């Protein structure tokens, strides 16, 4: 039921910024805790951060202070503003509902490199 499409990834130099978008269908983001995840080559998918149905924000320590989650309720989309990117942030980034998980979307590739 829940469908997710991530976009906005690309190549950026260390210290740069990117904004990712997660388009959600099949459920209202205001009815779900929504999360961002990432998976680097050869590694498990890991949690990045979440925004609760009520708007509460929580980030993994690895990105806290650098990444900001927000949402556009009218558009039913969630964003991930990534600042001061590091090579270790290189991964495919995914979004999903923590309450009504859908199949993983295609993800969007973020590559941080000189």
């Amino acid at each position: 039921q829940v469908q997710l499409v991530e976009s906005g990834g690309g190549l950026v130099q260390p210290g740069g910024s990117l904004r990712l978008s997660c388009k959600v269908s099949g459920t209202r983001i205001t009815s779900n805790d929504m999360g961002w995840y990432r998976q680097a080559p050869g590694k498990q998918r890991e949690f990045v951060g979440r925004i609760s149905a009520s708007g509460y924000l929580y980030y993994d320590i690895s990105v806290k202070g650098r990444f900001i989650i927000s949402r556009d309720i009218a558009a039913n989309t969630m964003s991930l503003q990534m600042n001061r990117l590091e090579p270790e942030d290189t991964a495919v980034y995914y979004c999903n509902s923590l309450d009504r998980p859908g199949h993983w979307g295609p993800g969007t590739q973020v590559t941080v490199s000189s």
Side-chain angles (χ1 to χ4, degrees), residues 26 35 41 53 61 66 68:
I61 189 64
R66 299 188 298 119
I68 303 172

Side-chain angles (χ1 to χ4, degrees), residues 75-91:
N76 212 45
T77 59
M78 177 178 63
S79 296
L80 180 67
Q81 177 66 47
M82 305 183 294
N83 301 313
R84 293 185 286 127
L85 284 161
E86 305 167 354
E88 293 74 21
D89 296 317
T90 295

Side-chain angles (χ1 to χ4, degrees), residues 8-23:
L11 175 65
V12 64
Q13 293 187 11
S17 298
L18 282 175
R19 178 181 284 267
L20 308 183
S21 181
C22 170
K23 174 63 179 176

Side-chain angles (χ1 to χ4, degrees), residues 36-103:
W36 281 101
Y37 306 81
R38 65 187 181 185
Q39 186 169 27
K43 296 186 177 181
Q44 297 286 326
R45 197 191 329 263
E46 66 179 17
F47 171 78
V48 174
R50 70 173 181 264
I51 182 167
S52 75
S54 63
Y56 174 82
L57 296 169
Y58 180 85
Y59 304 94
D60 183 79
I61 189 64
S62 65
V63 305
K64 190 174 183 179
R66 299 188 298 119
F67 291 10
I68 303 172
I69 297 171
S70 62
R71 61 187 180 181
D72 184 332
I73 296 174
N76 212 45
T77 59
M78 177 178 63
S79 296
L80 180 67
Q81 177 66 47
M82 305 183 294
N83 301 313
R84 293 185 286 127
L85 284 161
E86 305 167 354
E88 293 74 21
D89 296 317
T90 295
V92 178
Y93 283 72
Y94 302 89
C95 59
N96 214 332
S97 170
L98 281 72
D99 299 313
R100 301 170 182 83
H103 294 296

